[in-house]
């Protein structure tokens, strides 16, 4: 990229939804027709004064945007940094967005689009439940039916969010096949959607799926980066040296990365779930360990296992993460592309143990209980900060605190309560 090049966001993806070789749309013709209708209607609406004004009013008066930027003073000091050392960690507080995570940014916009398309129902998958809660909230706001597919394992693990979805009027479908987690929930939701794409809109929960969803969700999440960039410049007088976000599918990461991609001085870190070990099935680090493949209608990087069919193609591998929103065997095509061109830092990740440590550290040091997904980003940020302190370098770190941990507290205390007093 040079100063005379076309800005990244206007040149990526191409007209067919490809970021380099990643992306596109690999779906049956009947669904392609529906995707084309969604894309064309969105392109018609996205810059109209009426659509923009309605979405901005929702963000301000309903969601509570802009969300704050906070200097995490005690967290910075705990790793040897702080203002005097010139090593500072800042948090973009998406946990304070209505419903407790960044997911509402695209859900309100997607359901608003569904209304314009004349749909009566929205359907989606969810892992940690944050997308499910956000979509149920948006459906209630606009008066549409809502159906959420969720793996049995995650229903037990994220019980508070399941309750919230039901209170908001959503039908929660328990998915009991396979590993009973996020990948199976996506399969189930897509199968149901294909039965009635005319009256229903699939509202994808991340920057994944067939075109135009990776583009649309990025554009709806871009508000996070736009706010954070302005707030950071106001607070510090410049840009961050590092921007860090957890990455399962990659929506919160693309939201905050988007406005910094053309700023070469800013290092971007997509933090993956390194899980229990580096063995296949013990992690969900698709960027680090995956290879090119097509799943759920898009081409990206994915973790693969050998087929059970003789001479059959590889299939998506089993994955694991302590964070239900990160245990997906692939990653958004734009995240795959940014990694392939070296725009995101290589090898970023946090283990389950590191995420739990960060979860308790942020809670005790800053009075913020983060989502386990976000705790992965906090863990990596503290590592980057420690390395800067050791080298005597000054650095400013911006973390997208993508969600709060209300949904995780029962699970964490049941499994890791003995660590509650350890910081």
């Amino acid at each position: 990229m040079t100063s005379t090049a076309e800005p990244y966001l206007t040149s990526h993806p191409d007209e067919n939804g490809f970021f380099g070789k990643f992306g596109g749309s690999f779906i049956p013709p009947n669904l392609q027709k529906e995707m084309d209708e969604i894309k064309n209607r969105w392109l018609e609406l996205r810059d109209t004064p009426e659509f923009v004004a309605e979405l901005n009013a929702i963000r301000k008066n309903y969601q509570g945007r802009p969300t704050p930027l906070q200097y995490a003073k005690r967290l910075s000091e705990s790793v040897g940094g702080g203002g005097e050392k010139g090593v500072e960690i800042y948090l973009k507080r998406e946990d304070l967005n209505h419903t407790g995570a960044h997911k509402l940014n695209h859900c309100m916009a997607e359901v608003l689009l569904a209304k314009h398309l004349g749909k009566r129902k929205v359907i989606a998958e969810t892992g940690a439940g944050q997308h499910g809660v956000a979509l149920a909230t948006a459906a209630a706001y606009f008066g549409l039916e809502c159906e959420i597919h969720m793996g049995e394992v995650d229903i037990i693990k994220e019980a508070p969010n399941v309750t919230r979805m039901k209170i908001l009027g959503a039908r929660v479908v328990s998915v009991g096949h396979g590993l009973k987690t996020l990948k199976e929930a996506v399969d189930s939701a897509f199968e149901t959607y294909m039965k009635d794409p005319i009256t229903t809109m699939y509202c994808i929960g991340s920057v994944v799926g067939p075109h135009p969803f990776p583009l649309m969700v990025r554009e709806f999440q871009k508000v996070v980066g736009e706010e954070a960039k302005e707030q950071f410049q106001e607070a510090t007088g410049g840009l961050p040296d590092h921007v860090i976000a957890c990455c399962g599918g990659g929506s919160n990461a693309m939201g905050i990365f988007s406005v910094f991609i053309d700023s070469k001085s800013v290092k971007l870190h997509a933090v993956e779930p390194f899980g229990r070990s580096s063995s296949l099935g013990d992690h969900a680090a698709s960027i680090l360990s995956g290879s090119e493949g097509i799943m759920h209608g898009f081409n990206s990087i994915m973790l693969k296992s050998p087929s059970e069919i003789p001479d059959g193609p590889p299939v998506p591998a089993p994955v694991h993460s302590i964070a239900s929103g990160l245990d997906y065997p692939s990653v958004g095509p734009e995240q795959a592309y940014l990694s392939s061109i070296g725009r995101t830092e290589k090898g970023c990740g946090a283990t389950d143990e590191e995420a739990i440590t960060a979860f308790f550290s942020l809670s005790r040091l800053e009075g913020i209980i983060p989502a386990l997904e976000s705790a992965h980003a906090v863990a990596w940020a503290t590592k980057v900060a420690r390395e800067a302190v050791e080298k005597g370098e000054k650095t400013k770190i911006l973390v997208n605190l993508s969600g709060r941990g209300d949904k995780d507290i029962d699970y964490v205390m049941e499994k890791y309560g003995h660590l509650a007093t350890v910081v």
Side-chain angles (χ1 to χ4, degrees):
M1 288 179 284
T2 66
S3 59
T4 58
E6 185 178 0
Y8 174 88
L9 293 180
T10 60
S11 57
H12 296 79
D14 66 17
E15 62 181 8
N16 295 314
F18 281 94
F19 303 87
K21 63 181 178 180
F22 302 112
S25 183
F26 300 85
I27 53 178
N30 64 319
L31 283 187
Q32 188 59 58
K33 181 180 178 181
E34 294 302 317
M35 290 299 114
D36 290 342
E37 182 184 3
I38 291 170
K39 178 186 69 175
N40 293 336
R41 190 67 177 126
W42 173 60
L43 291 175
E44 290 174 3
L45 288 169
R46 65 176 179 175
D47 295 323
T48 62
E50 295 79 12
F51 188 86
V52 171
E54 185 170 5
L55 189 56
N56 285 342
I58 289 169
R59 286 172 169 171
K60 178 181 179 181
N61 301 318
Y62 184 68
Q63 293 184 229
R65 305 206 69 90
T67 57
L69 178 76
Q70 176 188 335
Y71 168 47
K73 181 176 183 293
R74 294 191 67 214
L75 182 67
S76 300
E77 292 172 347
S78 74
V79 295
E84 294 181 359
K85 296 287 184 68
V87 177
E88 301 173 336
I89 300 172
Y90 292 80
L91 308 174
K92 178 57 173 168
R93 297 290 306 278
E94 286 301 288
D95 59 309
L96 297 179
N97 190 32
H98 180 47
T99 73
H102 70 291
K103 295 291 188 180
L104 198 62
N105 299 328
H106 65 256
C107 283
M108 294 301 292
E110 286 181 336
V111 181
L112 176 59
L113 177 59
K115 286 281 286 186
H116 280 276
L117 286 164
K119 305 295 185 180
R120 297 197 299 268
K121 178 180 176 180
V122 290
I123 188 171
E125 81 298 330
T126 195
Q130 295 292 60
H131 177 62
V133 169
L135 191 65
T137 299
Y141 181 92
F142 287 107
L144 271 66
E145 295 178 48
C146 181
E147 181 173 307
I148 304 296
H149 292 241
M150 192 172 188
E152 283 183 6
V153 170
D154 294 333
I155 284 177
I156 295 170
K157 190 175 176 182
E158 307 290 1
N161 271 351
V162 177
T163 299
R164 293 169 75 190
M165 285 183 264
K166 291 179 178 179
I167 290 172
L168 288 161
R171 177 173 178 253
V172 179
V173 177
S174 178
V175 181
H177 64 274
L179 293 179
K180 308 176 186 179
T181 55
L182 182 56
K183 187 264 180 186
E184 289 76 22
V186 176
D187 293 340
S188 176
F190 254 117
E191 288 171 7
T192 302
Y193 169 62
M194 288 176 67
K195 296 174 184 177
D196 182 22
I198 305 301
T199 66
T200 303
M201 178 167 158
Y202 194 116
C203 293
I204 291 176
S206 191
V207 284
V208 297
H211 181 57
F213 278 95
L215 170 61
M216 280 201 326
V217 174
R218 181 193 77 187
E219 291 300 293
F220 294 147
Q221 287 293 343
K222 188 172 64 175
V223 64
V224 179
E226 291 171 337
E227 289 177 6
K229 185 176 183 179
E230 181 179 345
Q231 291 167 328
F232 202 92
Q233 289 176 317
E234 181 180 345
T236 70
L239 295 178
D241 299 297
H242 304 269
V243 177
I244 298 174
C246 64
C247 186
S251 60
N252 92 92
M254 281 317 310
I256 200 164
F257 288 173
S258 58
V259 301
F260 295 104
I261 293 173
D262 288 329
S263 300
K264 293 182 180 179
S265 65
V266 181
K267 294 182 179 181
L268 306 178
H269 306 252
V271 184
E272 295 199 283
F274 283 178
R276 297 177 294 230
S277 79
S278 59
S279 299
L280 191 65
D282 276 355
H283 64 86
S286 52
I287 295 176
L288 178 67
S289 303
S291 59
E292 186 177 353
I294 295 172
M295 186 176 75
H296 294 149
F298 67 104
N299 185 50
S300 187
I301 296 173
M302 60 185 285
L303 296 167
K304 301 174 184 176
S305 292
S307 174
E308 295 181 0
I309 302 173
D311 299 320
V315 297
V319 292
H320 161 80
S321 173
I322 194 175
S324 296
L326 302 181
D327 59 356
Y328 187 61
S330 186
V331 69
E334 190 164 14
Q335 294 289 358
Y337 174 69
L338 291 176
S339 175
S340 73
I341 63 172
R343 187 61 190 91
T344 50
E345 298 294 298
K346 301 292 184 181
C348 301
T351 65
D352 288 352
E353 183 178 353
E354 289 167 338
I356 281 292
T357 299
F359 175 93
F360 283 118
S361 293
L362 192 66
S363 299
R364 293 301 176 91
L365 293 169
E366 298 291 345
I368 301 170
I369 302 174
L372 286 174
E373 292 76 15
S374 310
H376 284 70
V378 175
W380 186 258
T382 58
K383 180 179 181 180
V384 172
R386 285 192 185 96
E387 290 177 352
V389 170
E390 291 172 1
K391 295 176 182 178
E393 298 175 347
K394 294 184 177 181
T395 192
K396 290 181 170 59
I397 301 166
L398 171 60
V399 179
N400 193 8
L401 195 69
S402 56
R404 63 175 179 250
D406 307 32
K407 65 185 180 63
D408 297 314
I409 55 176
D410 292 341
Y411 171 80
V412 168
M413 291 307 291
E414 178 186 349
K415 300 292 185 179
Y416 302 96
H418 60 286
L419 300 176
T421 59
V422 179
V423 175

